[in-house]
Structures are given as structure tokens and as C-alpha cells.
Amino acid sequence: MSLWAGREDVEPDSLRWHQVVTPYKRASEPGVVLVGFGCDAGVARNQGRVGAAEGPRSLRRALAPLAWHRRAPVFDAGDVNCHGNDDMESAQARLAERLATLLANSQLPVALGGGHEMAYASWSGLTRHLEARGERCPKIGIVNLDAHFDLRDPSQVRSSGTPFAQIAAECEARGWPFRYACLGVSRANNTRALFDRARKLGVLIKEDREFLPHRFEAIQRELERFMAHCDHLYLTVDLDVLPSSEAPGVSAPAARGVALAMIETLIETVRDSGKLRLADFAELNPSFDNDGRTARAAARLIHQLTLDT
Ligand SMILES: N=CN[C@@H](CCC(=O)O)C(=O)O
């Protein structure tokens, strides 16, 4: 909680996040709950640049000074931390458990990463919650804003590059539909094998180069059609979807990426669907974050996602 500090304005109605965020308690009224995932074991296993374990602290620092425009509260439920490479699966299980509990308490969890291996934990938490509620075959839509499919074959090693392949396999085992939209993917950074797997799995694919001003409305309509066929939405944002000029602090900076302005609009579209159950923001690596640009961009996106006015 010590990270929630900063400037205080004397004028009335001038609150900032750090003055409003309070520790989460089981009896807290419904609101947004932040949970950190201090883990980059998945990035290490995926041979990426480690450092994302420090992401949650940096994200809280970037959120703290932002102006407060919400009506409903925001709580901080602390961090789930990973203790070394061999602890990744256990950390994912702990995060899943915490998210399921928050969902059961009518909260909107927003998880702060951490490597993108957190996606498997987020989906597992939502699944656990829906199963406990007796939903037999929920249509969960995953909206992933990402330069990468993260559909690598998990049979050898599970990592930040495998969560959606793990989720697809679990959906198949349960007889559930796998509804996955990957928006912003880079052809140059995903092999043919990954594109083939994505096509076989029926993934809604939008490449980074399709995000042009005159095509953007059509992409939004496609996203709306995708969401219309889902009961519940899980939004996951890998910050490497942004251009490296806007997000240098990630494991794999994007040469092209999708502009923050467009990503923000997509996030608002998901927010306004009425179906959003949880969200996460992955891969922030403060060691490479010149001038805190990536943390600021992520904080702005979280701010927009959680606006309730
Ligand atoms: N979550 C990121 N996944 C990317 C990472 C690529 C990289 O670090 O170079 C992937 O597996 O392709």
C-alpha cells in the first residue's frame, strides 16, 4: 500500500487514485480489485528479457497520481509472487484461486503482470468461478491485444508463450468452445506454425498492419460480432502490442505495433459490452522502461477500462 502515494491538491473534487485506493477486504463492496502477479518465470522459460516480476509495483506507481473519475471503489488485494522458475505453475494456481474468490464476491479483478503466463491463471480463475456457479458450458470470449498469439506448443515447456494453447486444450477436454480473438498480431514475429494453429483453432486474427485509420471501424464491428457470441469476456493486454516508442518496457518491443489511441478504443468497446468479467495487463518490464513510458501507457489504459461514468 506504500506505493499509493503522491501529490494532493487542496481544491475540492481533486482526488487522485492514491487517495482513494484502499486494501481489499472480504466484506468490501463491489468495485475494481487490483491484484499483482510478480512473476517472470514464463518469460525466462520463453527465452525473453526478464524483469516483468517488478511490473506490478511500477504499474501501481503509475496509477497513483492519475485523477480519480470513478464512482465505485478500487481496492488493492496485494500480490501473488513467484519464487523461481520452478514455482510458476504454483504461482498461477495461487493467482487463479485469488481471482476466483474475487469473482465470487462480485468484484471486477484487474491483474497486473507479470509475464503473459498470467493469462492461464486468469482464465483458470474465471473458469473455477463459473463452474462453482454451475455453468456447464460457458461461452468465454478471450480478447487478447497482443503482438503474439502465445499459442506455442506447451508439451515441452509451459511459458509466457503458451497460455492460449493451454487454454485451448482445456476447453477441448471439457467440450467447451474456445473463443479467442488476437488483435494486433505481428506476422513478422509469429511463425507459420503459429498462424496455422490459430486458423485451426478458429481464432479471430487481426494483424498489426490492418490497424489503419480507414479500417478501424470495420475491426471494431468484427470485435462486436465476436463479443455478441460470448457470455463472458476476459480481456488480456500484452503491452508489447503497442509500438516500442510507446512501450519500450516489455520483453519483446514491437517494431510496428498498434497505436495506443486504437488500443484504448478497443478496450472501451470491451468495457462497454456489459460482459467483461476480468482483465489483466501483462509483460511490463520496468528495467527497459525509458521514462516510465510503458507504465504510463498501461496506467492510462487501466484508467479508461475502469471508468464508470
Ligand atoms: N508473451 C510473449 N510471447 C512472445 C515473446 C516473444 C519474445 O520474447 O521474443 C512469444 O512467445 O512469441
Side-chain angles (χ1 to χ4, degrees):
M1 288 306 293
S2 60
L3 297 167
W4 297 108
R7 172 194 175 122
E8 294 189 13
D9 292 332
V10 287
E11 281 184 69
D13 216 12
S14 304
L15 290 175
R16 296 172 189 275
W17 276 58
H18 69 85
Q19 294 169 283
V20 183
V21 175
T22 54
Y24 174 72
K25 298 197 176 66
R26 215 168 30 173
S28 294
E29 62 183 295
V32 165
V33 182
L34 306 173
V35 189
F37 185 59
C39 179
D40 52 17
V43 175
R45 292 184 189 184
N46 202 22
Q47 302 168 51
R49 314 195 285 183
V50 292
E54 292 301 316
R57 293 174 66 80
S58 176
L59 266 171
R60 286 188 181 93
R61 269 199 208 98
L63 277 166
L66 297 188
W68 179 260
H69 288 276
R70 280 175 57 79
R71 286 187 301 254
V74 171
F75 305 103
D76 189 338
D79 287 349
V80 169
N81 289 310
C82 174
H83 308 287
N85 261 4
D86 295 340
D87 190 41
M88 186 184 92
E89 283 77 8
S90 160
Q92 287 171 315
R94 294 195 299 276
L95 178 61
E97 183 64 45
R98 192 158 319 177
L99 295 173
T101 306
L102 293 172
L103 288 162
N105 290 338
S106 307
Q107 303 290 348
L108 174 66
V110 175
L112 314 174
H116 215 176
E117 63 272 20
M118 72 190 303
Y120 179 65
S122 293
W123 181 86
S124 301
L126 177 58
T127 297
R128 199 169 303 180
H129 167 64
L130 296 175
E131 284 178 331
R133 268 192 359 181
E135 292 204 26
R136 284 167 174 241
C137 189
K139 295 197 278 284
I140 303 174
I142 303 168
V143 179
N144 181 26
L145 309 181
D146 199 338
H148 308 95
F149 286 120
D150 289 347
L151 279 172
R152 293 178 190 278
D153 176 5
S155 60
Q156 299 300 318
V157 60
R158 291 170 293 220
S159 73
S160 61
T162 63
F164 303 105
Q166 293 173 254
I167 293 168
E170 294 226 10
C171 285
E172 193 183 355
R174 289 173 156 92
W176 291 6
F178 175 63
R179 295 179 192 234
Y180 177 35
C182 187
L183 312 180
V185 75
S186 159
R187 186 169 287 261
N189 298 94
N190 291 263
T191 60
R192 279 206 302 234
L194 292 173
F195 269 90
D196 282 351
R197 187 165 300 139
R199 275 190 215 101
K200 281 188 191 125
L201 288 166
V203 177
L204 171 61
I205 304 169
K206 289 288 148 204
E207 288 186 41
D208 52 5
R209 63 194 177 88
E210 295 179 73
F211 283 80
L212 301 168
H214 67 281
R215 289 207 199 168
F216 187 60
E217 249 188 68
I219 292 177
Q220 272 187 284
R221 297 296 88 79
E222 275 197 74
L223 174 59
E224 281 164 2
R225 279 197 293 278
F226 172 87
M227 297 192 302
H229 291 99
C230 303
D231 304 325
H232 309 286
L233 293 173
Y234 156 42
L235 171 70
T236 178
V237 181
D238 186 323
L239 294 164
D240 70 21
V241 73
L242 297 167
S244 60
S245 55
E246 293 178 334
V250 291
S251 170
R256 178 170 181 142
V258 179
L260 179 67
M262 286 182 180
I263 293 296
E264 184 174 295
T265 305
L266 294 177
I267 285 177
E268 289 165 359
T269 304
V270 176
R271 176 195 70 196
D272 296 341
S273 67
K275 296 180 179 179
L276 181 66
R277 304 292 172 253
L278 88 162
D280 59 37
F281 290 77
E283 301 269 331
L284 171 61
N285 184 336
S287 326
F288 299 98
D289 197 13
N290 302 341
D291 208 20
R293 262 181 273 165
T294 317
R296 283 175 212 272
R300 182 181 165 104
L301 294 176
I302 293 169
H303 182 267
Q304 288 305 115
L305 174 71
T306 56
L307 276 183
D308 59 2
T309 49

